[in-house]
Amino acid sequence: TQLLEQSPQFLSIQEGENLTVYCNSSSVFSSLQWYRQEPGEGPVLLVTVVTGGEVKKLKRLTFQFGDARKDSSLHITAAQPGDTGLYLCAGAPTGAGSYQLTFGKGTKLSVIP
Amino acid sequence: DTGVSQNPRHKITKRGQNVTFRCDPISEHNRLYWYRQTLGQGPEFLTYFQNEAQLEKSRLLSDRFSAERPKGSFSTLEIQRTEQGDSAMYLCASSIEAGVYGYTFGSGTRLTVV
């Protein structure tokens, strides 16, 4: 069974601060995806990283995939109240025959104005 | 296209009753997934369709759960003889590729079994 551990579970910061969220596993994934979920809604895809060592930037968000394709990080620069939400990482399995994503439990971020 | 649509958004049912949820995926997406999310957890995989074929089912999908996708369009998820432990958010997602590049999720159906 593939597991993804996210840390921290909860994060409360002041507007303008920087933060990093981590997603770790002992398993190798073909890709890692990051989603943001608001209460009562479904997750919304932010980014997919596929290549080991890959770095992607989305405005103030920077995503990195580990060289061994087992871990990932999300860095937010100058956080804003609109960044508040649950950040989920999800791994896609390697090999054929399975299509299920494995999700972490998420990091709940609160950005205080 | 307005994305993945799920109905109803909320469902309250008594224990032992049957419930059915509907998902309408993005029209050009031939892959459809059902996930379940409980409080404080990430979504857990339930089942996967490619067109009308159900290609993968999780062990979480007990014999009280059944999913269909007739004609490869919309999908339904039925839970028979509901139990309190079935209370959760049921999420539907669709994609063009087999999940590697990410899903588009619907807003979910929140089921409460009383």
Side-chain angles (χ1 to χ4, degrees):
Chain A
T1 304
Q2 296 180 310
L3 293 175
L4 275 169
E5 293 190 5
Q6 289 190 241
S7 61
Q9 284 189 48
F10 302 95
L11 191 55
S12 181
I13 61 171
Q14 293 291 130
E15 182 176 359
E17 292 183 349
N18 302 334
L19 66 115
T20 302
V21 173
Y22 299 94
C23 176
N24 295 298
S25 177
S26 58
S27 302
V28 177
F29 294 98
S30 61
S31 73
L32 236 295
Q33 302 160 23
W34 285 91
Y35 293 82
R36 180 168 161 266
Q37 185 177 26
E38 299 196 19
E41 298 294 329
V44 175
L45 180 67
L46 296 174
V47 79
T48 299
V49 284
V50 179
T51 306
E54 183 177 4
V55 177
K56 279 192 175 178
K57 291 191 175 183
L58 189 67
K59 296 184 180 178
R60 294 176 295 101
L61 278 59
T62 302
F63 305 86
Q64 186 163 7
F65 200 12
D67 291 340
R69 306 205 326 270
K70 294 183 180 180
D71 54 83
S72 181
S73 64
L74 159 60
H75 182 78
I76 301 179
T77 304
Q80 299 177 359
D83 295 329
T84 293
L86 180 68
Y87 288 82
L88 294 159
C89 67
T94 56
S98 178
Y99 304 93
Q100 56 181 285
L101 290 183
T102 298
F103 280 83
K105 292 185 179 181
T107 294
K108 191 170 184 180
L109 172 65
S110 296
V111 181
I112 303 164
Chain B
D1 192 8
T2 56
V4 178
S5 176
Q6 290 189 247
N7 288 288
R9 289 295 309 275
H10 303 275
K11 179 71 177 179
I12 300 174
T13 190
K14 291 184 178 179
R15 191 174 51 189
Q17 298 291 307
N18 299 342
V19 294
T20 301
F21 311 139
R22 176 177 170 127
C23 171
D24 288 89
I26 293 173
S27 55
E28 58 265 30
H29 288 182
N30 62 351
R31 291 168 166 86
L32 184 146
Y33 316 81
W34 285 98
Y35 279 74
R36 180 173 70 185
Q37 186 176 24
T38 53
L39 202 61
Q41 302 293 320
E44 296 173 296
F45 173 80
L46 292 178
T47 191
Y48 159 66
F49 288 87
Q50 183 173 326
N51 300 312
E52 67 276 9
Q54 188 175 20
L55 296 185
E56 192 173 4
K57 292 196 295 186
S58 164
R59 288 170 295 176
L60 292 174
L61 214 65
S62 76
D63 55 5
R64 295 186 298 107
F65 288 69
S66 62
E68 294 182 341
R69 192 182 182 197
K71 301 179 183 178
S73 56
F74 70 93
S75 175
T76 58
L77 178 68
E78 181 183 15
I79 308 174
Q80 296 182 328
R81 305 181 302 281
T82 52
E83 302 172 356
Q84 287 190 319
D86 297 331
S87 295
M89 173 79 90
Y90 289 85
L91 294 162
C92 175
S94 67
S95 70
I96 295 176
E97 298 291 337
V100 173
Y101 295 100
Y103 300 160
T104 302
F105 278 90
S107 296
T109 294
R110 168 71 65 188
L111 173 66
T112 303
V113 181
V114 297

